Coordinates of all heavy atoms in Angstrom, one line a residue:
F1 N -8.6 7.9 -17.7 CA -9.9 7.2 -18.0 C -10.9 8.3 -18.6 O -11.6 8.2 -19.6 CB -10.4 6.5 -16.9 CG -11.6 5.6 -17.2 CD1 -11.6 4.5 -17.9 CD2 -12.9 6.1 -16.8 CE1 -12.7 3.8 -18.3 CE2 -14.1 5.4 -17.1 CZ -13.9 4.2 -17.8
T2 N -11.0 9.3 -17.8 CA -11.9 10.4 -18.1 C -11.6 11.1 -19.5 O -12.5 11.3 -20.3 CB -12.0 11.5 -17.1 OG1 -12.4 10.8 -15.8 CG2 -13.1 12.6 -17.3
N3 N -10.3 11.2 -19.7 CA -9.9 11.9 -21.0 C -10.3 10.9 -22.2 O -10.6 11.4 -23.3 CB -8.4 12.1 -21.1 CG -8.0 13.2 -20.2 OD1 -8.8 14.0 -19.8 ND2 -6.7 13.2 -19.7
I4 N -10.0 9.6 -21.9 CA -10.4 8.6 -23.1 C -11.9 8.6 -23.3 O -12.4 8.7 -24.4 CB -10.0 7.3 -22.7 CG1 -8.4 7.2 -22.7 CG2 -10.5 6.2 -23.6 CD1 -7.9 5.9 -22.1
I5 N -12.6 8.7 -22.2 CA -14.2 8.6 -22.3 C -14.7 9.9 -23.0 O -15.5 9.8 -23.9 CB -14.9 8.5 -20.9 CG1 -14.5 7.2 -20.3 CG2 -16.4 8.8 -20.9 CD1 -15.0 6.0 -21.1
N6 N -14.1 11.0 -22.7 CA -14.5 12.3 -23.3 C -14.1 12.3 -24.8 O -14.8 12.8 -25.6 CB -13.8 13.5 -22.6 CG -14.5 13.8 -21.2 OD1 -15.6 13.3 -21.0 ND2 -13.6 14.4 -20.4
A7 N -12.9 11.7 -25.1 CA -12.5 11.7 -26.5 C -13.4 10.8 -27.4 O -13.8 11.1 -28.5 CB -11.1 11.2 -26.6
L8 N -13.9 9.7 -26.7 CA -14.8 8.7 -27.4 C -16.1 9.4 -27.6 O -16.8 9.2 -28.6 CB -14.9 7.4 -26.6 CG -13.7 6.5 -26.7 CD1 -13.8 5.4 -25.7 CD2 -13.5 6.0 -28.0
Q9 N -16.6 10.2 -26.6 CA -17.9 10.9 -26.8 C -17.9 11.9 -27.9 O -18.8 12.0 -28.6 CB -18.3 11.7 -25.5 CG -18.7 10.8 -24.3 CD -19.0 11.6 -23.1 OE1 -18.6 12.7 -22.9 NE2 -19.7 10.9 -22.1
A10 N -16.7 12.5 -28.2 CA -16.5 13.4 -29.3 C -16.6 12.6 -30.6 O -17.0 13.2 -31.6 CB -15.2 14.1 -29.2
L11 N -16.4 11.2 -30.6 CA -16.5 10.5 -31.7 C -17.8 9.7 -31.8 O -18.0 8.7 -32.4 CB -15.4 9.4 -31.8 CG -14.0 10.0 -31.8 CD1 -12.9 8.9 -31.7 CD2 -13.7 10.8 -33.2
D12 N -18.8 10.1 -30.9 CA -20.1 9.6 -30.8 C -20.2 8.2 -30.3 O -21.0 7.4 -30.5 CB -20.8 9.6 -32.2 CG -21.1 11.0 -32.7 OD1 -21.3 11.8 -31.8 OD2 -21.1 11.2 -33.9
K13 N -19.1 7.8 -29.5 CA -19.2 6.5 -28.7 C -19.4 6.9 -27.3 O -18.5 7.4 -26.6 CB -17.9 5.8 -28.9 CG -17.8 4.5 -28.1 CD -18.9 3.6 -28.5 CE -18.9 2.2 -27.6 NZ -20.0 1.5 -27.7
V14 N -20.6 6.5 -26.8 CA -21.0 6.9 -25.4 C -21.1 5.6 -24.6 O -21.8 4.7 -25.0 CB -22.3 7.8 -25.4 CG1 -22.7 8.1 -24.0 CG2 -22.1 9.0 -26.2
Y15 N -20.5 5.7 -23.4 CA -20.7 4.5 -22.5 C -21.6 5.0 -21.3 O -21.5 6.1 -20.9 CB -19.3 4.2 -21.9 CG -18.4 3.5 -22.9 CD1 -17.4 4.1 -23.5 CD2 -18.5 2.1 -23.1 CE1 -16.6 3.4 -24.4 CE2 -17.7 1.4 -24.0 CZ -16.7 2.1 -24.7 OH -15.9 1.4 -25.6
S16 N -22.3 4.1 -20.8 CA -23.2 4.4 -19.7 C -22.4 4.4 -18.5 O -21.2 3.8 -18.4 CB -24.4 3.4 -19.6 OG -23.8 2.1 -19.2
N17 N -22.9 4.9 -17.4 CA -22.2 5.0 -16.1 C -21.9 3.6 -15.6 O -20.8 3.3 -15.1 CB -23.1 5.7 -15.1 CG -22.3 5.9 -13.8 OD1 -21.4 6.7 -13.8 ND2 -22.7 5.2 -12.8
S18 N -22.9 2.7 -15.8 CA -22.7 1.3 -15.4 C -21.5 0.6 -16.1 O -20.7 -0.1 -15.6 CB -24.0 0.5 -15.6 OG -23.7 -0.9 -15.4
E19 N -21.4 0.9 -17.5 CA -20.3 0.3 -18.2 C -19.0 0.9 -17.8 O -18.0 0.0 -17.7 CB -20.5 0.6 -19.8 CG -21.7 -0.2 -20.3 CD -21.9 0.3 -21.8 OE1 -22.1 1.6 -22.0 OE2 -22.0 -0.6 -22.6
M20 N -18.9 2.2 -17.5 CA -17.6 2.8 -17.0 C -17.2 2.2 -15.6 O -16.0 1.9 -15.5 CB -17.8 4.3 -17.1 CG -17.9 4.9 -18.3 SD -17.8 6.7 -18.3 CE -19.5 7.2 -17.7
V21 N -18.2 2.1 -14.8 CA -17.9 1.4 -13.5 C -17.3 0.0 -13.7 O -16.3 -0.3 -13.0 CB -19.1 1.4 -12.6 CG1 -19.0 0.5 -11.3 CG2 -19.5 2.9 -12.2
R22 N -18.0 -0.8 -14.4 CA -17.5 -2.1 -14.6 C -16.1 -2.2 -15.3 O -15.3 -3.0 -15.0 CB -18.5 -2.9 -15.5 CG -19.9 -3.2 -14.8 CD -20.9 -3.8 -15.6 NE -22.2 -3.7 -15.0 CZ -22.7 -4.4 -14.1 NH1 -22.0 -5.4 -13.5 NH2 -23.9 -4.2 -13.7
K23 N -15.8 -1.3 -16.3 CA -14.6 -1.2 -16.9 C -13.4 -0.9 -15.9 O -12.4 -1.5 -15.9 CB -14.5 -0.2 -18.1 CG -15.3 -0.7 -19.3 CD -15.3 0.3 -20.4 CE -16.0 -0.1 -21.6 NZ -15.5 -1.4 -22.2
I24 N -13.7 0.0 -15.0 CA -12.7 0.4 -14.1 C -12.4 -0.8 -13.1 O -11.3 -1.1 -12.8 CB -13.1 1.7 -13.3 CG1 -13.0 2.9 -14.1 CG2 -12.3 1.8 -12.0 CD1 -13.4 4.2 -13.6
L25 N -13.5 -1.4 -12.6 CA -13.3 -2.6 -11.8 C -12.5 -3.7 -12.4 O -11.7 -4.4 -11.8 CB -14.6 -3.0 -11.2 CG -15.4 -2.1 -10.2 CD1 -16.8 -2.6 -9.9 CD2 -14.6 -1.8 -9.1
R26 N -12.7 -3.9 -13.7 CA -12.1 -5.0 -14.4 C -10.6 -4.7 -14.6 O -9.8 -5.6 -14.6 CB -12.7 -5.2 -15.8 CG -14.0 -6.1 -15.8 CD -14.3 -6.6 -17.1 NE -14.3 -5.6 -18.2 CZ -15.3 -4.9 -18.6 NH1 -16.6 -5.1 -18.1 NH2 -15.2 -4.0 -19.5
C27 N -10.2 -3.4 -14.7 CA -8.8 -3.1 -15.0 C -7.9 -3.0 -13.8 O -6.7 -2.8 -13.9 CB -8.7 -1.9 -15.8 SG -9.0 -0.3 -14.9
L28 N -8.4 -3.1 -12.6 CA -7.6 -3.0 -11.4 C -6.8 -4.2 -11.3 O -7.1 -5.4 -11.6 CB -8.6 -2.8 -10.1 CG -9.3 -1.5 -10.1 CD1 -10.4 -1.6 -9.0 CD2 -8.4 -0.4 -9.9
P29 N -5.6 -4.0 -10.6 CA -4.6 -5.2 -10.5 C -5.2 -6.2 -9.4 O -6.1 -5.9 -8.8 CB -3.4 -4.5 -9.9 CG -3.8 -3.2 -9.5 CD -5.1 -2.8 -10.1
R30 N -4.5 -7.4 -9.5 CA -4.9 -8.5 -8.8 C -5.0 -8.2 -7.2 O -5.8 -8.7 -6.4 CB -4.0 -9.7 -9.0 CG -4.4 -10.9 -8.3 CD -3.5 -12.0 -8.6 NE -3.5 -12.3 -10.0 CZ -4.1 -13.3 -10.6 NH1 -4.5 -14.3 -9.8 NH2 -4.0 -13.5 -11.9
S31 N -4.1 -7.3 -6.7 CA -4.0 -6.9 -5.4 C -5.2 -6.2 -4.9 O -5.5 -6.2 -3.7 CB -2.7 -6.1 -5.0 OG -2.9 -4.9 -5.8
W32 N -6.0 -5.7 -5.8 CA -7.2 -4.9 -5.5 C -8.5 -5.9 -5.5 O -9.6 -5.4 -5.3 CB -7.5 -3.9 -6.5 CG -6.5 -2.7 -6.2 CD1 -5.1 -2.7 -6.4 CD2 -6.9 -1.4 -5.7 NE1 -4.7 -1.4 -6.0 CE2 -5.7 -0.6 -5.7 CE3 -8.1 -0.8 -5.4 CZ2 -5.7 0.8 -5.2 CZ3 -8.1 0.5 -5.0 CH2 -7.0 1.2 -4.9
M33 N -8.3 -7.2 -5.8 CA -9.5 -8.0 -6.0 C -10.4 -8.2 -4.7 O -11.6 -8.1 -4.9 CB -9.0 -9.5 -6.5 CG -8.7 -9.5 -7.9 SD -9.9 -9.0 -9.0 CE -9.3 -7.5 -9.6
P34 N -9.8 -8.1 -3.5 CA -10.7 -8.2 -2.4 C -11.6 -6.9 -2.4 O -12.8 -7.0 -2.0 CB -9.8 -8.1 -1.2 CG -8.5 -8.8 -1.7 CD -8.5 -8.3 -3.1
K35 N -11.1 -5.7 -2.7 CA -12.0 -4.6 -2.8 C -12.9 -4.6 -3.9 O -14.0 -4.2 -3.7 CB -11.0 -3.3 -2.9 CG -11.7 -2.0 -2.9 CD -12.4 -1.8 -1.6 CE -13.1 -0.4 -1.5 NZ -13.7 -0.1 -0.3
V36 N -12.5 -5.1 -5.0 CA -13.4 -5.2 -6.1 C -14.6 -6.2 -5.8 O -15.8 -5.8 -6.0 CB -12.7 -5.7 -7.4 CG1 -13.7 -6.1 -8.5 CG2 -11.7 -4.7 -7.9
T37 N -14.3 -7.3 -5.2 CA -15.4 -8.2 -4.8 C -16.3 -7.6 -3.7 O -17.5 -7.7 -3.8 CB -14.7 -9.4 -4.1 OG1 -13.8 -10.0 -5.2 CG2 -15.8 -10.4 -3.7
A38 N -15.7 -6.9 -2.8 CA -16.5 -6.2 -1.8 C -17.5 -5.2 -2.5 O -18.7 -5.1 -2.2 CB -15.7 -5.5 -0.7
I39 N -17.0 -4.4 -3.4 CA -17.9 -3.4 -4.1 C -18.9 -4.2 -4.9 O -20.1 -3.8 -4.8 CB -17.0 -2.5 -5.0 CG1 -16.1 -1.6 -4.1 CG2 -17.9 -1.7 -5.9 CD1 -15.1 -0.8 -4.9
E40 N -18.5 -5.2 -5.6 CA -19.5 -5.8 -6.4 C -20.6 -6.5 -5.6 O -21.8 -6.6 -6.1 CB -18.9 -7.0 -7.2 CG -18.0 -6.4 -8.4 CD -17.1 -7.5 -9.0 OE1 -16.9 -8.6 -8.5 OE2 -16.7 -7.2 -10.2
E41 N -20.3 -7.0 -4.4 CA -21.3 -7.8 -3.5 C -22.2 -6.7 -2.8 O -23.3 -7.0 -2.5 CB -20.6 -8.6 -2.6 CG -20.0 -9.8 -3.4 CD -19.3 -10.8 -2.5 OE1 -19.2 -10.6 -1.2 OE2 -18.8 -11.9 -2.9
T42 N -21.6 -5.6 -2.5 CA -22.4 -4.7 -1.6 C -23.1 -3.5 -2.4 O -24.0 -2.9 -1.8 CB -21.5 -4.0 -0.5 OG1 -20.4 -3.3 -1.2 CG2 -20.9 -5.1 0.4
K43 N -22.7 -3.3 -3.6 CA -23.2 -2.1 -4.3 C -24.0 -2.7 -5.5 O -23.5 -3.6 -6.1 CB -22.0 -1.2 -4.8 CG -21.2 -0.6 -3.8 CD -21.7 0.5 -3.0 CE -20.7 1.0 -2.0 NZ -21.3 2.0 -1.1
N44 N -24.9 -1.8 -6.0 CA -25.6 -2.2 -7.2 C -24.9 -1.4 -8.3 O -24.9 -0.2 -8.4 CB -27.1 -1.7 -7.1 CG -27.9 -2.0 -8.3 OD1 -27.3 -2.4 -9.4 ND2 -29.1 -1.6 -8.3
L45 N -24.1 -2.2 -9.1 CA -23.3 -1.5 -10.1 C -24.0 -0.8 -11.2 O -23.6 0.0 -11.9 CB -22.3 -2.6 -10.7 CG -21.4 -3.3 -9.8 CD1 -20.4 -4.2 -10.5 CD2 -20.6 -2.3 -9.0
N46 N -25.3 -1.1 -11.3 CA -26.1 -0.4 -12.4 C -26.5 1.0 -11.9 O -26.8 1.9 -12.7 CB -27.5 -1.2 -12.5 CG -27.2 -2.5 -13.2 OD1 -26.3 -2.8 -14.0 ND2 -28.0 -3.5 -12.8
V47 N -26.4 1.3 -10.6 CA -26.7 2.7 -10.1 C -25.6 3.4 -9.4 O -25.7 4.5 -9.0 CB -28.0 2.7 -9.2 CG1 -29.2 2.2 -10.0 CG2 -27.8 1.8 -8.0
L48 N -24.4 2.6 -9.3 CA -23.3 3.2 -8.6 C -22.7 4.4 -9.4 O -22.3 4.1 -10.6 CB -22.3 2.0 -8.4 CG -20.9 2.5 -7.7 CD1 -21.2 3.1 -6.2 CD2 -20.0 1.5 -7.5
A49 N -22.6 5.5 -8.9 CA -22.1 6.6 -9.6 C -20.5 6.4 -9.8 O -19.9 6.0 -8.9 CB -22.4 8.0 -8.9
L50 N -20.0 6.9 -10.9 CA -18.6 6.7 -11.2 C -17.8 7.5 -10.2 O -16.8 7.0 -9.7 CB -18.2 7.3 -12.6 CG -16.9 7.1 -13.0 CD1 -16.4 5.7 -13.1 CD2 -16.8 7.8 -14.5
E51 N -18.3 8.7 -9.7 CA -17.6 9.5 -8.8 C -17.5 8.7 -7.4 O -16.5 8.9 -6.7 CB -18.2 10.9 -8.6 CG -18.2 11.8 -9.8 CD -19.3 11.4 -10.9 OE1 -20.2 10.7 -10.5 OE2 -19.0 11.7 -12.0
D52 N -18.6 8.1 -7.0 CA -18.6 7.3 -5.8 C -17.6 6.2 -5.8 O -16.9 5.9 -4.8 CB -20.0 6.7 -5.5 CG -21.0 7.9 -5.2 OD1 -20.6 9.0 -4.8 OD2 -22.2 7.6 -5.3
L53 N -17.6 5.5 -7.0 CA -16.6 4.4 -7.1 C -15.2 4.9 -6.9 O -14.3 4.4 -6.3 CB -16.8 3.7 -8.5 CG -15.7 2.6 -8.8 CD1 -15.8 1.5 -7.8 CD2 -15.8 2.2 -10.2
L54 N -14.9 6.0 -7.7 CA -13.5 6.7 -7.6 C -13.1 7.0 -6.3 O -12.0 6.9 -5.8 CB -13.4 7.8 -8.7 CG -13.5 7.3 -10.1 CD1 -13.4 8.6 -11.0 CD2 -12.4 6.3 -10.5
G55 N -14.1 7.7 -5.5 CA -13.8 8.1 -4.2 C -13.6 7.0 -3.3 O -12.6 7.0 -2.4
S56 N -14.3 5.9 -3.4 CA -14.1 4.6 -2.6 C -12.7 4.0 -2.9 O -12.0 3.6 -2.0 CB -15.2 3.6 -2.9 OG -15.0 2.4 -2.3
L57 N -12.4 3.9 -4.2 CA -11.0 3.4 -4.6 C -9.9 4.3 -4.1 O -8.9 3.8 -3.6 CB -11.0 3.2 -6.1 CG -12.0 2.3 -6.7 CD1 -11.8 2.2 -8.2 CD2 -11.7 0.8 -6.1
M58 N -10.1 5.6 -4.1 CA -9.0 6.5 -3.6 C -8.8 6.4 -2.1 O -7.7 6.3 -1.6 CB -9.3 7.9 -4.0 CG -9.2 8.1 -5.5 SD -9.8 9.7 -6.1 CE -8.6 10.8 -5.3
T59 N -9.9 6.2 -1.4 CA -9.9 6.0 0.0 C -9.1 4.7 0.3 O -8.3 4.7 1.2 CB -11.3 6.0 0.6 OG1 -12.0 7.3 0.3 CG2 -11.3 5.8 2.1
H60 N -9.5 3.7 -0.4 CA -8.8 2.4 -0.2 C -7.4 2.4 -0.4 O -6.5 2.0 0.3 CB -9.5 1.3 -1.0 CG -9.0 0.0 -0.9 ND1 -9.0 -0.8 0.2 CD2 -8.2 -0.7 -1.8 CE1 -8.4 -1.9 0.1 NE2 -7.9 -1.9 -1.2
E61 N -7.0 3.1 -1.5 CA -5.6 3.3 -1.8 C -4.8 4.0 -0.8 O -3.7 3.7 -0.5 CB -5.4 4.1 -3.2 CG -4.0 4.2 -3.6 CD -3.9 4.9 -5.0 OE1 -4.8 5.8 -5.3 OE2 -3.0 4.6 -5.8
L62 N -5.4 5.1 -0.2 CA -4.8 5.8 0.9 C -4.6 5.0 2.0 O -3.5 5.0 2.8 CB -5.6 7.1 1.2 CG -5.5 8.2 0.1 CD1 -6.5 9.3 0.6 CD2 -4.1 8.7 0.0
S63 N -5.6 4.2 2.4 CA -5.4 3.4 3.6 C -4.4 2.2 3.4 O -3.7 1.9 4.3 CB -6.8 2.7 4.1 OG -7.3 1.8 3.0
M64 N -4.3 1.7 2.2 CA -3.3 0.7 1.9 C -1.9 1.3 2.0 O -1.0 0.8 2.6 CB -3.4 0.0 0.5 CG -4.6 -0.9 0.4 SD -4.7 -1.9 -1.1 CE -3.9 -0.9 -2.3
Q65 N -1.8 2.5 1.5 CA -0.5 3.3 1.5 C -0.1 3.6 3.0 O 1.1 3.4 3.4 CB -0.6 4.6 0.8 CG 0.6 5.1 0.2 CD 0.3 6.2 -0.8 OE1 -0.6 7.0 -0.6 NE2 1.1 6.3 -1.9
K66 N -1.0 4.0 3.9 CA -0.8 4.2 5.2 C -0.3 2.9 6.0 O 0.6 3.0 6.7 CB -2.0 4.8 5.9 CG -1.7 5.2 7.3 CD -3.0 5.8 8.0 CE -2.8 6.2 9.5 NZ -1.9 5.5 10.2
K67 N -1.0 1.9 5.7 CA -0.6 0.5 6.2 C 0.8 0.2 5.8 O 1.6 -0.3 6.6 CB -1.6 -0.5 5.8 CG -1.4 -1.8 6.5 CD -2.4 -2.8 6.2 CE -2.2 -4.1 6.9 NZ -3.2 -5.1 6.7
D68 N 1.2 0.3 4.6 CA 2.5 0.0 4.1 C 3.5 1.0 4.8 O 4.6 0.4 5.1 CB 2.6 0.2 2.6 CG 1.8 -0.8 1.8 OD1 1.4 -1.9 2.4 OD2 1.6 -0.6 0.6
D69 N 3.3 2.2 4.9 CA 4.1 3.1 5.6 C 4.3 2.6 7.1 O 5.4 2.7 7.5 CB 3.6 4.6 5.5 CG 3.6 5.1 4.1 OD1 4.3 4.5 3.2 OD2 3.0 6.1 3.9
D70 N 3.2 2.3 7.7 CA 3.3 1.9 9.1 C 4.1 0.6 9.2 O 4.9 0.5 10.1 CB 1.9 1.7 9.7 CG 1.1 2.9 9.9 OD1 1.7 4.0 9.8 OD2 -0.1 2.8 10.1
E71 N 3.9 -0.3 8.4 CA 4.8 -1.6 8.3 C 6.3 -1.3 8.1 O 7.1 -1.9 8.8 CB 4.2 -2.5 7.3 CG 2.9 -3.2 7.7 CD 2.4 -4.0 6.6 OE1 2.9 -4.2 5.5 OE2 1.3 -4.6 6.7
E72 N 6.5 -0.3 7.3 CA 7.9 0.0 7.0 C 8.6 0.6 8.2 O 9.7 0.3 8.5 CB 8.0 1.0 5.8 CG 9.4 1.3 5.3 CD 10.0 0.1 4.7 OE1 9.3 -0.8 4.1 OE2 11.2 -0.1 4.9
K73 N 7.8 1.4 9.0 CA 8.3 2.0 10.2 C 8.6 1.0 11.3 O 9.6 1.1 11.9 CB 7.3 3.1 10.7 CG 7.3 4.4 9.9 CD 6.3 5.4 10.5 CE 6.2 6.6 9.6 NZ 5.0 7.5 10.1
E74 N 7.7 0.1 11.3 CA 7.9 -1.0 12.4 C 9.2 -1.9 12.0 O 9.9 -2.2 12.9 CB 6.6 -2.0 12.3 CG 5.5 -1.4 13.0 CD 5.8 -1.1 14.5 OE1 6.4 -2.0 15.2 OE2 5.5 0.0 15.0
K75 N 9.4 -2.1 10.7 CA 10.6 -2.9 10.3 C 11.8 -2.1 10.7 O 12.8 -2.7 11.2 CB 10.6 -3.1 8.7 CG 9.7 -4.2 8.3 CD 9.8 -4.3 6.8 CE 8.8 -5.4 6.3 NZ 8.9 -5.5 4.9
K76 N 11.8 -0.8 10.5 CA 13.0 0.0 10.9 C 13.2 0.0 12.4 O 14.3 0.0 12.8 CB 12.8 1.5 10.4 CG 12.9 1.6 8.9 CD 12.8 3.1 8.4 CE 13.0 3.1 6.9 NZ 12.9 4.5 6.4
K77 N 12.1 0.0 13.1 CA 12.2 -0.1 14.6 C 12.8 -1.4 15.1 O 13.5 -1.4 16.1 CB 10.9 0.2 15.2 CG 10.4 1.7 15.2 CD 9.1 1.7 15.9 CE 8.5 3.2 15.9 NZ 7.3 3.3 16.5
K78 N 12.5 -2.4 14.3 CA 12.8 -3.8 14.9 C 14.3 -4.2 14.4 O 14.7 -5.2 14.8 CB 11.8 -4.8 14.4 CG 10.6 -4.7 15.0 CD 9.5 -5.8 14.4 CE 8.3 -5.7 15.2 NZ 7.3 -6.6 14.6
K79 N 14.9 -3.3 13.7 CA 16.3 -3.7 13.2 C 17.2 -3.8 14.5 O 17.2 -2.9 15.4 CB 16.9 -2.6 12.3 CG 16.4 -2.7 11.0 CD 17.1 -1.8 10.1 CE 16.6 -1.9 8.6 NZ 17.3 -1.0 7.7
I80 N 18.0 -4.8 14.6 CA 18.8 -5.1 15.7 C 20.2 -4.5 15.5 O 20.8 -4.9 14.4 CB 18.8 -6.6 16.1 CG1 17.4 -7.1 16.4 CG2 19.8 -6.9 17.2 CD1 17.3 -8.6 16.5
V81 N 20.7 -3.9 16.4 CA 22.0 -3.4 16.3 C 23.0 -4.2 17.1 O 22.8 -4.4 18.3 CB 22.1 -1.8 16.8 CG1 23.6 -1.4 16.7 CG2 21.2 -1.0 16.0
A82 N 23.9 -4.9 16.5 CA 24.9 -5.6 17.2 C 26.2 -4.9 17.3 O 26.7 -4.4 16.4 CB 25.0 -7.0 16.5
L83 N 26.8 -5.0 18.6 CA 28.0 -4.3 18.8 C 29.1 -5.4 18.9 O 28.9 -6.4 19.5 CB 27.9 -3.5 20.0 CG 26.9 -2.4 20.0 CD1 26.9 -1.7 21.4 CD2 27.2 -1.3 18.9
K84 N 30.2 -5.2 18.3 CA 31.3 -6.1 18.4 C 32.2 -5.7 19.6 O 32.6 -4.6 19.7 CB 32.2 -6.0 17.1 CG 33.2 -7.0 17.0 CD 33.9 -6.9 15.7 CE 35.1 -7.9 15.6 NZ 35.7 -7.9 14.3
S85 N 32.4 -6.7 20.4 CA 33.2 -6.5 21.6 C 34.5 -7.1 21.4 O 34.6 -8.1 20.9 CB 32.5 -6.9 22.8 OG 32.4 -8.3 22.8
S86 N 35.5 -6.5 22.0 CA 36.8 -7.1 22.0 C 37.5 -7.0 23.4 O 37.1 -6.1 24.1 CB 37.7 -6.5 20.9 OG 37.8 -5.2 21.3
Q87 N 38.3 -7.9 23.7 CA 38.9 -8.0 25.0 C 40.4 -7.7 24.8 O 41.0 -8.3 23.9 CB 38.8 -9.2 25.8 CG 37.3 -9.4 26.2 CD 37.1 -10.7 27.0 OE1 38.0 -11.6 26.9 NE2 36.0 -10.8 27.7
T88 N 41.0 -6.8 25.6 CA 42.4 -6.6 25.5 C 43.1 -6.9 26.8 O 42.4 -6.6 27.9 CB 42.8 -5.2 25.0 OG1 42.2 -4.3 26.0 CG2 42.2 -4.9 23.6
E89 N 44.2 -7.5 26.8 CA 44.9 -7.8 28.2 C 45.8 -6.6 28.4 O 46.6 -6.2 27.6 CB 45.6 -9.1 28.0 CG 44.7 -10.2 28.0 CD 45.5 -11.5 28.0 OE1 46.6 -11.5 28.6 OE2 44.9 -12.5 27.6
D90 N 45.6 -6.1 29.6 CA 46.5 -5.0 30.0 C 47.3 -5.6 31.1 O 46.9 -5.8 32.4 CB 45.7 -3.8 30.5 CG 46.5 -2.6 30.7 OD1 47.8 -2.7 30.5 OD2 46.0 -1.6 31.0
S91 N 48.5 -6.0 30.9 CA 49.4 -6.7 31.9 C 49.8 -5.9 33.1 O 49.9 -6.3 34.2 CB 50.6 -7.2 31.2 OG 51.4 -6.1 30.7
D92 N 49.8 -4.5 32.9 CA 50.0 -3.6 34.1 C 49.0 -3.7 35.1 O 49.2 -3.7 36.3 CB 50.3 -2.2 33.5 CG 51.5 -2.1 32.7 OD1 52.4 -2.9 32.8 OD2 51.6 -1.0 32.0
D93 N 47.7 -3.7 34.6 CA 46.5 -3.7 35.5 C 46.5 -5.0 36.2 O 46.2 -5.0 37.5 CB 45.2 -3.5 34.8 CG 45.0 -2.1 34.3 OD1 45.8 -1.2 34.8 OD2 44.2 -1.8 33.4
D94 N 46.8 -6.1 35.6 CA 46.8 -7.4 36.3 C 47.9 -7.5 37.4 O 47.6 -8.0 38.4 CB 47.0 -8.5 35.2 CG 45.8 -8.6 34.3 OD1 44.7 -8.2 34.6 OD2 45.9 -9.2 33.2
D95 N 49.1 -7.0 37.0 CA 50.1 -6.9 38.0 C 49.8 -6.2 39.2 O 50.1 -6.5 40.4 CB 51.5 -6.5 37.4 CG 51.9 -7.4 36.3 OD1 51.5 -8.6 36.3 OD2 52.8 -7.0 35.5
D96 N 49.2 -5.0 39.0 CA 48.8 -4.1 40.1 C 47.8 -4.9 41.1 O 47.8 -4.7 42.3 CB 48.2 -2.8 39.6 CG 49.3 -1.9 38.9 OD1 50.5 -2.2 39.2 OD2 48.8 -1.0 38.2
D97 N 46.8 -5.6 40.5 CA 45.8 -6.2 41.3 C 46.4 -7.3 42.1 O 46.1 -7.5 43.3 CB 44.7 -6.9 40.4 CG 43.9 -5.8 39.7 OD1 43.8 -4.7 40.2 OD2 43.2 -6.2 38.7
H98 N 47.4 -8.0 41.7 CA 48.0 -9.1 42.4 C 48.9 -8.6 43.6 O 49.2 -9.2 44.5 CB 48.9 -9.9 41.5 CG 48.0 -10.8 40.5 ND1 47.1 -11.6 40.9 CD2 47.9 -10.7 39.2 CE1 46.5 -12.1 39.9 NE2 47.0 -11.6 38.8
E99 N 49.5 -7.4 43.4 CA 50.4 -6.8 44.4 C 49.7 -6.4 45.6 O 50.3 -6.3 46.7 CB 51.3 -5.6 43.9 CG 52.2 -6.2 42.8 CD 53.0 -5.0 42.1 OE1 52.8 -3.8 42.6 OE2 53.7 -5.2 41.1
L100 N 48.5 -6.0 45.5 CA 47.7 -5.5 46.6 C 47.3 -6.5 47.5 O 47.3 -7.0 48.4 CB 46.4 -4.7 46.2 CG 46.7 -3.4 45.4 CD1 45.3 -2.9 44.9 CD2 47.4 -2.4 46.2

């Protein structure tokens, strides 16, 4: 994003901080909508610094990643191991028990 913005500035197309913040929020995937809504409702997008937005999004991404990793570990722990049992008849042992 920064590379594109810098290239556009070289072509005399300048975006305000507010425009860049809004563009980033609009391009996030659907799974990020709760976070986008929270940012839009709690922050003034006209004064929110791009660096602050990126820091908040990166923190959110790390916490989602940690939660996914924790859930994956829990799934692995909950796997059930089933053992197959078999019975064999040993006629010698049975005969010995009856003789005593």
